[in-house]
Amino acid sequence: MIKVVEVRGFKNNLNVTAMGMVETPPGSVQGGIITDPKLLGNTIKNLLAKSGVRSRRVVSSVAGADGVVVRVIEVAAMQPSELKAMMGYEVERHIPFSVNDVHMDFQAIEPEAGEVSPDATMEVLLAVAKNEMLHAHLLTLQSAGLTPVAIDVEPLAVGRALIDLNKSNNFVGKNVVIVNIGAAITDVGIFKKGILRFPRTIPIAGDTFTRAIADHLGLSIEQAEEEKRQHATILLDLLRAPAPALDENAGSPFDFDYGDTGDSGNAGIAPDTQTGVFDPYGNVPSNAGAPVSTTPAPPSTELATDDPRARRRREVFDALLPVLEEFAMEVRRSVEYFRSRYPSETVDQIILCGGSAKIGNFDRYMESDLGVPTVVGDPLANATVIARNRNSEMSPAFAVALGLAARDAVVGL
């Protein structure tokens, strides 16, 4: 899906003046890389007109396992001028493609008061995108008649929408996990007191849920997508007792390394077969380090009921259950890695966003599995929406778009 949001005003007085979404044209994007900029640009142009967007200045985002790497790396402590000179060499250790074929940006993470590294190191947020991806992205914006102001990455955008703009200040000074469930990938971003300290991409997302329904029920992808919208609900009363909550006082059960192996930065946490050390940016075997399951194997789809809707909910739930277990396990591993990195820190909140976050009881399921308070994020609650076509039901899907639109209001660029 393509989402657009137009805003006016400032951080504490932000107005959403227009918003809208449309299906991505089939074949126009492959693996996160735009393959038909003209087609996609025309689709965006029509969406802007239909949604009533007037501005032609745009902040957009790039994402995709094949072309973008976002991670926090650790380097020796140094001055900003030294860091700039060194990053050209350092980046080669952290990306799976040639350094000559990419555009890079980075930002040193300022340590918190009292936060001192015993090894005289510092953390740096690194974002790298393939030039090919950026070129196609800019051609698309040009075809849509837009003027690019900045190209952002999605983990920062969702943090802006759900943490920085949060009117109740519930998340100030807390450690928050944002799970942004896209179509092809899910971004897990762990924010330590408002600063992104651990970004990770997992390859289980909305399309995975849809394919599971299609395979289980013998449906087309289009039919399965409709079933997901109409009947996808996690039936909590059919689950076993939840797994033990994350022990905030215990060390991680995994011996993690911080990924200085040059892996892609786009999949699960996996053990290096040579060293036995876990890498948060490697490929994860389906059974590696999995916690005790919170659910049994999928139960029979036979129900003692004549209610066709209840029967269909059970069938869809049976289809989704194995994927949900794997999804929760990957988020759990991300949280445990963060805790192994910062052993004195607790994890205070999980926020789900993206279209599939609206699956019934998803937040309650994740809270039960991880033992961490979990909510479905409502980014539109953090602004005054005066758009004529407000869609409150799909609000979680607009977290990235709102965070992009509010970049100037929050960052002041």
Side-chain angles (χ1 to χ4, degrees), residues 186-201:
T186 292
D187 284 319
V188 179
I190 305 184
F191 292 77
K192 184 170 179 274
K193 298 176 175 59
I195 304 298
L196 180 63
R197 303 299 281 261
F198 179 54
R200 178 180 173 228
T201 298

Side-chain angles (χ1 to χ4, degrees), residues 77-232:
M78 63 187 72
Q79 296 299 317
S81 58
E82 297 174 305
L83 180 63
K84 183 176 181 180
M86 186 273 298
M87 285 301 294
Y89 301 100
E90 184 70 23
V91 69
E92 296 186 61
R93 303 175 55 221
H94 300 281
I95 62 173
F97 20 79
S98 171
V99 70
N100 296 320
D101 297 331
V102 303
H103 184 83
M104 171 189 69
D105 203 354
F106 61 90
Q107 177 65 53
I109 298 175
E110 295 294 331
E112 299 171 17
E115 184 180 45
V116 179
S117 171
D119 301 319
T121 59
M122 61 187 293
E123 291 184 324
V124 179
L125 177 62
L126 172 68
V128 182
K130 281 186 175 181
N131 289 331
E132 172 192 7
M133 168 181 275
L134 294 176
H135 179 67
H137 191 89
L138 292 171
L139 283 178
T140 300
L141 297 179
Q142 183 180 22
S143 296
L146 294 170
T147 301
V149 175
I151 298 178
D152 210 338
V153 291
E154 295 192 357
L156 293 178
V158 295
R160 205 173 292 134
L162 296 172
I163 297 177
D164 294 333
L165 292 176
N166 187 270
K167 289 184 175 181
S168 62
N169 293 322
N170 286 340
F171 307 132
V172 173
K174 294 185 177 180
N175 298 328
V176 178
V177 183
I178 298 182
V179 182
N180 177 29
I181 310 168
I185 59 175
T186 292
D187 284 319
V188 179
I190 305 184
F191 292 77
K192 184 170 179 274
K193 298 176 175 59
I195 304 298
L196 180 63
R197 303 299 281 261
F198 179 54
R200 178 180 173 228
T201 298
I202 60 177
I204 306 170
D207 289 348
T208 318
F209 299 136
T210 303
R211 284 194 300 270
I213 296 171
D215 292 345
H216 190 80
L217 298 181
L219 303 175
S220 68
I221 291 297
E222 292 75 16
Q223 291 171 324
E225 184 67 30
E226 183 62 25
E227 290 290 339
K228 184 174 74 173
R229 283 195 291 263
Q230 294 293 328
H231 299 115

Side-chain angles (χ1 to χ4, degrees), residues 7-16 164-167 382-384 402 405-413:
V7 301
R8 301 188 188 281
F10 299 96
K11 179 177 178 179
N12 296 322
N13 188 26
L14 203 65
N15 294 320
V16 175
D164 294 333
L165 292 176
N166 187 270
K167 289 184 175 181
N382 300 327
T384 300
L402 179 62
R407 185 174 187 267
D408 286 1
V410 173
V411 182
L413 298 178

Side-chain angles (χ1 to χ4, degrees), residues 299-312:
S300 167
T301 59
E302 294 182 2
L303 282 176
T305 178
D306 294 327
D307 182 352
R309 288 185 60 83
R311 184 182 298 275
R312 200 57 163 178

Side-chain angles (χ1 to χ4, degrees), residues 234-242 294-296 299 317 321 324-325 361 364-366 368-369:
I234 301 174
L235 303 178
L236 299 172
D237 58 335
L238 298 183
L239 303 179
R240 282 207 316 244
T294 60
T295 58
F317 169 70
L321 186 56
L324 290 167
E325 286 186 317
N361 292 327
R364 295 175 63 190
Y365 174 78
M366 294 296 291
S368 175
D369 187 274

